[in-house]
Each structure stands twice: as structure tokens, then as C-alpha cells.
Amino acid sequence: VVDPGVGTNRRALAVHTDNAFFVAPDNGVLTACLADSPPTQVVELTEPRYWLPEVSQTFHGRDVFAPVAAYLSLGVPIGALGHSVEDRVTVSLPRPRRLADGSLMGRIVYIDHFGSLLTDFSPEDPKQGIGTPAFEVKGRWIVGLSQTYADGDGLIALVGSMGTVEIALRNGNAARQLRARSGDPVLLRWIVE
């Protein structure tokens, strides 16, 4: 639970999509989760009978969200947890910007524990140009998109399991090799042969 507003008047929500249930604070943390899978029902958690008997002002993850998730897993209907709401807090997600020359400037948004660089490029972004996509990170170019981590011996770009383009190093740590950090720019251009 990412909840810096725990104990404040921020709402607690349960969200149902076609694929999953989410239980979280209404602080925008679900924005990315719901971007590709819109909610079918959203309720504010107002029924304390589904919480622990004692609710701490500093640990709603344990006292509210975990019990509600457990009840959902046991088949309690989402509507029993509280009243429906139509609005929820969203945040703007980082997106690459188009440069004057037609290239796209994105960013590293996360580095996983393998040292792979997850970017804000969607799987569709490399298809927006004519030619072979090429990514520049920290002065190094990676040409083309690989299908798997085993497709190259050095740095590769591929669409990873998080649904974004990532830069990886087969049997190595791309972040360490490139001395890359979250927030570093990643340039996407297309090479026409």
C-alpha cells in the first residue's frame, strides 16, 4: 500500500475490473493499474464490519485494506463493502514527448532488481516511425526490438512483462553498465536503411 495520507480524510476504495479487484487508498496509486482495464465498479470502503475491530490511524494497509481484500477473495460482493462512487483521484503518468525532428524523448521510470531499465515507452511507440527503432541511453545506442532476453549478447530493447519498452543486458545489469538512474532520458529514433 502506497499511502502517505493514511489517517487523513482521503477515501479508501475497492475497485472491480473485468480482470481483478483492487483495494487501495484514493490517492492516484491505481491510475496505472486502471489505465488499460477500466473499472466496472468502484466503492468507498465505509462498512467497518469488513475491517479489523481496532483500526490504527497509521496502518490502514493491515487494518482496512488487507481484511477487505480477504473478504473479496471469499466472495463477499464488492457492493457490500460500501457505497458506489463515480470519481477517484488520478495522476498524470509520464509519457514520451515528440521532438521537432520527429523523435521521441522518454525517461527511465523504474529500474528492476535485475538492473533492467523500464521506460515510459509503450509497445506502440516504436511503431510510430518508419524504419528500425533505435534507443539512445547514456550515449549508447540499442538498435531494434528483441523478442526475448536471450536475443542478444549486449544491451537489448524489448517489451517487458510490465507492458513497456525496457533496456536490458543479457546475463547482466544494464543499469550498472550504463550508470543509469530513474529519470534519465531515453531517446527513440528510427533508422531507415
Side-chain angles (χ1 to χ4, degrees):
V1 174
V2 179
D3 193 10
V6 65
T8 67
N9 64 356
R10 65 91 183 98
R11 297 182 301 185
L13 302 178
V15 179
H16 182 241
T17 70
D18 287 338
N19 304 317
F21 287 100
F22 296 95
V23 182
D26 187 20
N27 61 7
V29 72
L30 294 178
T31 302
C33 300
L34 301 176
D36 295 325
S37 187
T40 57
Q41 189 174 6
V42 180
V43 300
E44 181 177 0
L45 303 177
T46 56
E47 287 295 330
R49 65 184 167 180
Y50 297 107
W51 311 345
L52 289 184
E54 301 271 333
V55 175
S56 164
Q57 288 299 339
T58 59
F59 205 170
H60 288 179
R62 174 195 67 199
D63 301 341
V64 177
F65 299 121
V68 165
Y71 278 111
L72 284 169
S73 75
L74 294 172
V76 170
I78 189 171
L81 304 172
H83 62 272
S84 290
V85 294
E86 296 298 320
D87 64 327
R88 66 184 188 287
V89 173
T90 58
V91 295
S92 58
L93 299 173
R95 285 290 305 139
R97 71 181 193 285
R98 176 91 43 203
L99 301 180
D101 66 359
S103 60
L104 290 174
M105 180 61 72
R107 297 255 172 238
I108 298 169
V109 295
Y110 180 70
I111 299 174
D112 69 15
H113 66 277
F114 297 106
S116 297
L117 314 175
L118 285 69
T119 73
D120 58 357
F121 289 114
S122 76
E124 299 305 312
D125 288 331
K127 300 174 187 173
Q128 290 185 23
I130 297 172
T132 304
F135 301 87
E136 188 266 330
V137 183
K138 304 290 281 187
R140 297 276 303 272
W141 285 93
I142 299 101
V143 178
L145 272 177
S146 298
Q147 295 298 308
T148 71
Y149 295 104
D151 285 347
D153 289 325
L155 291 167
I156 59 169
L158 74 160
V159 176
S161 62
M162 296 300 288
T164 65
V165 173
E166 62 184 68
I167 308 300
L169 178 62
R170 181 180 179 185
N171 299 324
N173 185 310
R176 191 174 305 130
Q177 180 171 332
L178 294 169
R179 295 190 172 108
R181 299 170 61 171
S182 290
D184 283 348
V186 180
L187 181 67
L188 168 57
R189 289 196 171 133
W190 292 267
I191 299 170
V192 179
E193 298 174 19

